[in-house]
Amino acid sequence: MYVYIIRKGKVKVYSLTHTGVKYLERIYCENDLFGELEVFADKPILNYVEALEPCDAIKISKESFLEWIKSDSEFSLYVHVQLSKKMYHTSINSKANIAYSLKYRLLFFLWKFLDEHNLDTVHKDILVEGVGSNIRSVNRIIKELVDENFVEDLHRQYVKKKKNLSLDESSFFGYVVFNYRSEIIDFIYKALEENWSEVYEDWELENKTTFHIKSLKELIDSNDPVENQEQY
């Protein structure tokens, strides 16, 4: 078991589902390290690592890494800072994945990725892996973002950010929360209208006066193709 410190280049770390879908965990650059989680936890390797460009890295065995931690306080602090950044990153991503629809997960990932790496463009494959989706769904959402002046679609391979994506953090989250909340409310009203006969029948049969939104989603899922369900 080893820990790696990148001296030069970039690598992507991703997980792979049993269906073959890639989910991008993070892209590591110069002075980043990976492999320490498995070393500290003494667990099997979780993810795959793939070089995005020629790389130069330091390979450290588990025993040497732990000894270095014990004997060098500056190195120990460096490792703790790296771990804290990963935990913070994971926490933010988890909240976004739970709270938002695919469109806003992709918009969040795009905004955060370009900002972190100081980029103006990103390949669509990174977006697909970043939200754990498929190219068809990502292309559909990119078309919406082009219409909303967030991005420009370059030769159907790359996405370039435009003015509306150049927001500070508070402005960006303000936009997402306001618009996502509005879309959810519109969706609930539309779903109730389209499924009103089933909702009313459920009320009559069980003598209810309320209808939980989870029940509405289950009802919609039962009547809608699986490929469309990810949008809500």
Side-chain angles (χ1 to χ4, degrees):
M1 192 174 290
Y2 297 92
V3 175
Y4 298 83
I5 300 176
I6 301 174
R7 296 179 60 189
K8 181 182 178 182
K10 291 181 181 179
V11 302
K12 69 176 180 180
V13 177
Y14 64 92
S15 55
L16 199 62
T17 69
H18 66 283
T19 57
V21 175
K22 285 184 180 181
Y23 181 76
L24 181 66
E25 299 287 346
R26 195 164 175 82
I27 289 182
Y28 293 116
C29 307
E30 185 177 332
N31 296 324
D32 287 336
L33 83 160
F34 58 90
E36 78 283 9
L37 294 176
E38 290 85 352
V39 165
F40 283 135
D42 196 25
K43 297 291 184 181
I45 295 172
L46 284 173
N47 301 311
Y48 297 86
V49 180
E50 180 181 325
L52 297 175
E53 57 187 54
C55 294
D56 183 11
I58 302 172
K59 181 180 179 181
I60 311 168
S61 69
K62 175 181 177 179
E63 294 75 18
S64 297
F65 177 74
L66 294 177
E67 283 299 319
W68 194 358
I69 289 282
K70 293 175 184 177
S71 62
D72 189 336
S73 60
E74 288 189 7
F75 181 66
S76 178
L77 178 61
Y78 159 74
V79 172
H80 279 80
V81 169
Q82 292 278 314
L83 275 171
S84 298
K85 287 180 178 179
K86 290 178 184 179
M87 292 173 66
Y88 188 81
H89 172 85
T90 301
S91 177
I92 290 176
N93 279 357
S94 297
K95 291 174 183 176
N97 289 338
I98 292 171
Y100 298 141
S101 66
L102 182 60
K103 175 182 176 180
Y104 288 98
R105 278 164 38 213
L106 189 143
L107 186 61
F108 171 75
F109 174 83
L110 179 61
W111 172 78
K112 192 167 182 293
F113 181 86
L114 294 177
D115 182 65
E116 279 186 354
H117 297 280
N118 195 28
L119 298 171
D120 289 325
T121 61
V122 61
H123 199 283
K124 286 184 181 178
D125 287 349
I126 294 293
L127 297 182
V128 170
E129 295 173 16
V131 294
S133 186
N134 56 72
I135 189 63
R136 179 181 175 185
S137 297
V138 167
N139 276 330
R140 172 176 55 80
I141 292 169
I142 287 174
K143 185 177 183 304
E144 293 179 24
L145 298 181
V146 168
D147 293 339
E148 295 173 24
N149 205 35
F150 277 106
V151 298
E152 180 182 352
D153 195 350
L154 300 177
H155 314 298
R156 300 193 64 79
Q157 288 187 322
Y158 288 85
V159 171
K160 182 179 181 179
K161 76 173 180 180
K162 296 184 75 175
K163 181 180 178 181
N164 282 358
L165 201 59
S166 300
L167 300 172
D168 58 46
E169 186 170 349
S170 60
S171 299
F172 176 80
F173 282 107
Y175 167 85
V176 169
V177 170
F178 176 81
N179 285 274
Y180 184 58
R181 183 182 297 163
S182 299
E183 288 189 10
I184 287 294
I185 292 171
D186 290 343
F187 171 77
I188 291 172
Y189 276 115
K190 182 181 177 183
L192 280 171
E193 183 179 8
E194 292 178 351
N195 297 275
W196 178 247
S197 60
E198 288 91 341
V199 173
Y200 184 75
E201 183 180 343
D202 184 73
W203 276 344
E204 288 286 293
L205 287 173
E206 300 189 27
N207 195 26
K208 291 181 178 179
T209 56
T210 60
F211 191 81
H212 198 286
I213 194 63
K214 182 181 178 182
S215 302
L216 179 61
K217 185 182 185 304
E218 291 172 353
L219 177 62
I220 296 165
D221 288 352
S222 68
N223 296 325
D224 200 38
V226 173
E227 64 189 36
N228 294 334
Q229 291 176 20
E230 65 179 355
Q231 65 182 301
Y232 48 78

